Amino acid sequence: MNKHPGLILPAPENFLSPEDITRTAAGRRDFLRRSFELASAAVAATFAASSGAATGDPAILQLPSWSTSLGKPVAARPYGAPSSFESNLVRRESPGLTRVSEASVSFTPLQGLFGIITPNGLHFERHHQGWHDIDPARHRLMVHGLVKTPRVYTMEDILRLPSVSRIHFLECGANTAMEWGRSAVPTVQYTHGMLSCCEFTGVPLAVLLEDCGYDEQKSRYVLAEGADGSSLTRTIALDRALDDVLVAYGQNGEMLRPENGYPLRLVVPGVQGVSWVKWLRRIKVGDQRFGTKDEVLHYVDLMPDGHVRQYTSIQECKSVITTPSGGQKLLRKGYYNVTGIAWSGRGSITRVDVSFDGGRNWRTARLENPVLPKALTRFNVDWEWNGSQAILQSRAIDQSGYVQPRINQLREVRGTRSIYHNNAIQSWRAAETGEVTNVQVS
Ligand code: MTE
């Protein structure tokens, strides 16, 4: 019997055997020794670099105002905001990328984020015709087509249905598009920042399709349509729609932000962002692909033989080192925690390798928990920089065994006229000065 109320003992099969305990303890000792050595080396290096300065450091010798005065009251800011010292960490639009900002992108500052979750205020934005703050009381979702009972749902109806919460990445098919020909933009915010990862909450689309009685014999596809002026429409295969697609209203524990589709958006895990229809107002069930303007013209790939590849939905396995990355500077030789993110539309990440010499030698990075399917995975690797030029790269492998390709391997298949779906290995060059820049290594 469990004597402690609230303490649940693990099931017997979860207990460790004596051999397991010896193995685990040895592993932990090894890890601790290694961490300690690295940490001591880092501390020694820091002290060595700043010796002399520390003794007269006013940050230590003088009491700052915040230690001698009354702070601000609670609820001085009813909705919290980042520290004023973090004001540089913002979404940024790439100047000149599009003619007007209503049909543009603002990029997530990946270089400044930790873990795998993107804060709502830093989620990238991609609109075809601007965003709106839609009154939820006036918003409706219609489900019709090959269904027994077409229905129109209010937000109140949707919020009463069974819900789930899942963490998924959202990547625009155009992410890294500017890098097909050469290294074009300076920072990871612009090379890879059409990428975010959030916990989304909503109703499985399967629940709504079943509620309306979709025709199980004839139905093959659904069409999703947004309520903005662009009337963005995308076809989604019924199998996928019934699998893990969500009609979502929640993002990281609160309602979606208007820029991200408030009050309702589609979440299509693993699939390119354009299918994640925002301000979702209509789902039509059909027996064939709908072939709308958005799927015929945009987010398609012009292949070397002149054919256009349509309906490329899955975002293939990809990774990028976020620190150090373009625009940053290594301040001195010695220890660095090299960190980055990896993701795959086909499931979970199983391994990430990191190279410091442009792909000649690789070391396996640590994958940090949680490692979730169709979500970002954080990786870390220890690096001792000796002050000479280095080319940093990361290469991810997913559960299907797919290995993230080099840019030349991708070009061999896709030719040189692609815009979308560039999942090539990214290279950052650390010069002897410590300056880190975006370079392409074939
Ligand atoms: N849905 C509507 N209704 N209108 C849009 O312009 N943009 C699409 C998709 N859904 C879009 C939309 C594209 S191209 C992408 S990449 C994602 O939304 C971006 O989602 P976000 O703005 O929340 O990052």
Side-chain angles (χ1 to χ4, degrees):
M1 261 300 283
N2 185 351
K3 284 193 233 140
H4 307 279
L7 178 75
I8 299 164
L9 291 174
E13 64 271 21
N14 292 338
F15 283 123
L16 294 176
S17 68
E19 300 84 71
D20 284 339
I21 290 170
T22 320
R23 249 201 325 270
T24 314
R28 197 170 298 148
R29 266 200 310 277
D30 253 20
F31 173 75
L32 287 176
R33 185 174 37 77
R34 197 167 148 55
S35 310
F36 178 73
E37 281 167 10
L38 284 167
S40 319
V43 169
T46 310
F47 270 8
S50 60
S51 62
T55 44
D57 186 351
I60 295 173
L61 297 177
Q62 288 161 19
L63 270 182
S65 58
W66 53 86
S67 301
T68 56
S69 59
L70 190 59
K72 294 183 181 65
V74 298
R77 298 192 295 189
Y79 194 99
S83 158
S84 58
F85 299 99
E86 300 299 325
S87 59
N88 254 337
L89 196 73
V90 288
R91 298 190 282 222
R92 289 179 197 276
E93 188 181 357
S94 183
L97 184 63
T98 58
R99 219 157 38 81
V100 294
S101 296
E102 288 78 9
S104 191
V105 187
S106 73
F107 296 80
T108 292
L110 298 173
Q111 69 280 6
L113 301 186
F114 312 115
I116 61 169
I117 298 292
T118 312
N120 285 340
L122 296 177
H123 194 293
F124 81 97
E125 305 161 85
R126 169 75 181 107
H127 319 303
H128 290 92
Q129 205 165 324
W131 61 274
H132 300 270
D133 194 4
I134 294 177
D135 178 355
R138 294 175 57 199
H139 188 71
R140 301 286 182 271
L141 170 64
M142 177 165 77
V143 180
H144 68 134
L146 294 176
V147 295
K148 248 194 228 101
T149 322
R151 291 191 198 283
V152 174
Y153 297 89
T154 63
M155 282 306 293
E156 279 171 359
D157 297 333
I158 300 273
L159 284 158
R160 285 176 60 190
L161 292 171
S163 72
V164 295
S165 297
R166 301 207 187 108
I167 297 176
H168 289 299
F169 76 80
L170 160 51
E171 183 183 25
C172 182
N175 201 21
T176 326
M178 287 169 281
E179 301 289 309
W180 268 105
R182 59 189 169 85
S183 56
V185 286
T187 65
V188 71
Q189 180 158 11
Y190 292 128
T191 56
H192 288 76
M194 284 193 228
L195 171 73
S196 299
C197 184
C198 295
E199 184 197 65
F200 293 100
T201 300
V203 180
L205 180 53
V207 169
L208 298 182
L209 293 176
E210 273 154 27
D211 190 34
C212 298
Y214 71 96
D215 185 328
E216 291 187 27
Q217 302 305 319
K218 295 200 198 123
S219 310
R220 293 280 175 277
Y221 296 95
V222 302
L223 182 81
E225 182 184 70
D228 53 329
S230 76
S231 299
L232 185 113
T233 36
R234 294 300 295 188
T235 298
I236 294 157
L238 184 73
D239 291 356
R240 185 182 301 289
L242 293 175
D243 180 15
D244 56 2
V245 174
L246 300 182
V247 172
Y249 42 79
Q251 182 179 328
N252 292 334
E254 60 181 2
M255 288 298 283
L256 291 162
R257 292 287 166 91
E259 298 95 310
N260 306 117
Y262 179 88
L264 216 52
R265 88 170 304 164
L266 213 55
V267 165
V268 193
V271 171
Q272 62 174 336
V274 65
S275 294
W276 294 49
V277 174
K278 300 191 276 191
W279 312 294
L280 181 69
R281 75 166 170 202
R282 188 162 73 96
I283 297 283
K284 183 175 184 183
V285 183
D287 55 2
Q288 50 191 297
R289 287 173 173 141
F290 291 82
T292 66
K293 69 169 171 33
D294 291 309
E295 38 202 19
V296 175
L297 285 176
H298 307 304
Y299 303 92
V300 296
D301 301 313
L302 186 52
M303 302 300 279
D305 65 0
H307 277 92
V308 171
R309 192 170 74 160
Q310 279 181 308
Y311 300 106
T312 34
S313 51
I314 302 286
Q315 292 298 99
E316 297 290 1
C317 182
K318 189 166 168 181
S319 69
V320 67
I321 293 171
T322 50
T323 300
S325 61
Q328 296 180 338
K329 187 169 183 193
L330 304 173
L331 292 180
R332 60 184 77 93
K333 291 182 202 171
Y335 175 80
Y336 286 88
N337 178 56
V338 173
T339 192
I341 41 180
W343 62 101
S344 166
R346 297 199 185 274
S348 301
I349 293 296
T350 53
R351 203 173 94 199
V352 176
D353 298 325
V354 172
S355 174
F356 297 97
D357 56 10
R360 274 194 294 279
N361 296 288
W362 295 92
R363 276 169 48 197
T364 299
R366 297 188 298 277
L367 301 187
E368 306 299 345
N369 280 326
V371 177
L372 300 169
K374 305 179 189 178
L376 294 189
T377 294
R378 172 66 56 178
F379 66 85
N380 286 304
V381 67
D382 303 317
W383 183 41
E384 203 62 44
W385 182 49
N386 62 11
S388 52
Q389 174 182 282
I391 306 280
L392 284 75
Q393 299 179 326
S394 64
R395 175 181 70 186
I397 302 171
D398 70 15
Q399 68 179 72
S400 73
Y402 178 100
V403 182
Q404 185 184 1
R406 288 182 284 112
I407 183 75
N408 272 9
Q409 290 174 311
L410 208 53
R411 283 198 194 108
E412 275 164 27
V413 182
R414 300 272 301 280
T416 52
R417 289 182 291 174
S418 274
I419 298 172
Y420 303 104
H421 312 120
N422 177 357
N423 67 321
I425 289 172
Q426 169 69 38
S427 306
W428 303 117
R429 174 176 176 269
E432 283 154 357
T433 56
E435 234 68 62
V436 183
T437 48
N438 180 9
V439 292
Q440 263 196 14
V441 174
S442 48

